[in-house]
Amino acid sequence: MKKYCDNCRKEVEIKKVIREEKYSIRGEVIDIQAYVLICLNCNQEIFSEKIDSEITEQAFAEYRKRHGLLSPAEIRQIREMYDLSQRSFCKLLNWGDKTIYRYESGAIQDEIHNDLLLILRDPLQMKKYLEKNANLLPARQVSQLIDTINALIRKDKPK
């Protein structure tokens, strides 16, 4: 396989090797095994945006695992369970407009935000939360959300 090497200033043959990489996330060092590309001509590492993104995601996933934080997919699943847009979910939670977008795109959430999401994963808890915070959404949307929550609660009840 060939890639452009900035050091050699030309297309060169490369190899993929596994190295231990250290990432500092919120002051904590995360060690991960990661693929890197090496120029066979000068033996220098070649930057790959795709691989760099994968390594960052891997480090973030390890950090989330260590701290019991929800993954981006789990956060999206909670929001979609209630059939809410990112913007509406942020309004209901009284968070900034782009907060859920960032979390669903891979940013690591605050522990307090994570704790609230864990609680709201339970439709009964979401119903209680909505009763206290219904003023944060338009009445029509509150009514639709109540219907969704009630359907989820009925579905969860043992028969």
Side-chain angles (χ1 to χ4, degrees), residues 6-84:
D6 286 332
N7 194 46
C8 296
R9 297 178 190 248
K10 63 180 180 179
E11 289 277 320
V12 295
E13 288 291 328
I14 60 164
K15 66 180 175 180
K16 212 177 194 183
V17 298
I18 296 177
R19 283 196 182 156
E20 186 168 305
E21 297 277 323
K22 293 185 182 298
Y23 275 78
S24 178
I25 301 175
R26 295 185 176 169
E28 184 175 334
V29 177
I30 307 289
D31 294 319
I32 58 169
Q33 297 294 314
Y35 281 105
V36 294
L37 303 177
I38 302 295
C39 171
L40 292 177
N41 204 33
C42 68
N43 216 28
Q44 294 295 309
E45 189 173 321
I46 295 176
F47 176 76
S48 165
E49 191 171 330
K50 181 181 178 207
I51 290 175
D52 192 55
S53 284
E54 290 170 359
I55 293 169
T56 301
E57 286 176 30
Q58 189 179 349
F60 280 16
E62 177 59 28
Y63 181 88
R64 285 186 191 94
K65 181 178 163 187
R66 288 184 187 181
H67 294 275
L69 299 174
L70 294 163
S71 71
E74 290 170 320
I75 293 170
R76 185 178 315 104
Q77 185 180 26
I78 293 167
R79 176 181 60 79
E80 289 176 348
M81 179 171 74
Y82 297 111
D83 199 26
L84 290 168

Side-chain angles (χ1 to χ4, degrees), residues 1-2 8 35 50 53 66 80 86-87 97 101-102 105 117 122 126 129 132 135 152:
M1 175 168 36
K2 286 190 168 199
C8 296
Y35 281 105
K50 181 181 178 207
S53 284
R66 288 184 187 181
E80 289 176 348
Q86 290 176 341
R87 174 172 270 163
D97 284 351
Y101 170 79
R102 286 193 335 266
S105 297
L117 291 168
D122 176 355
M126 175 59 103
Y129 183 86
K132 292 180 182 178
N135 62 317
L152 289 166

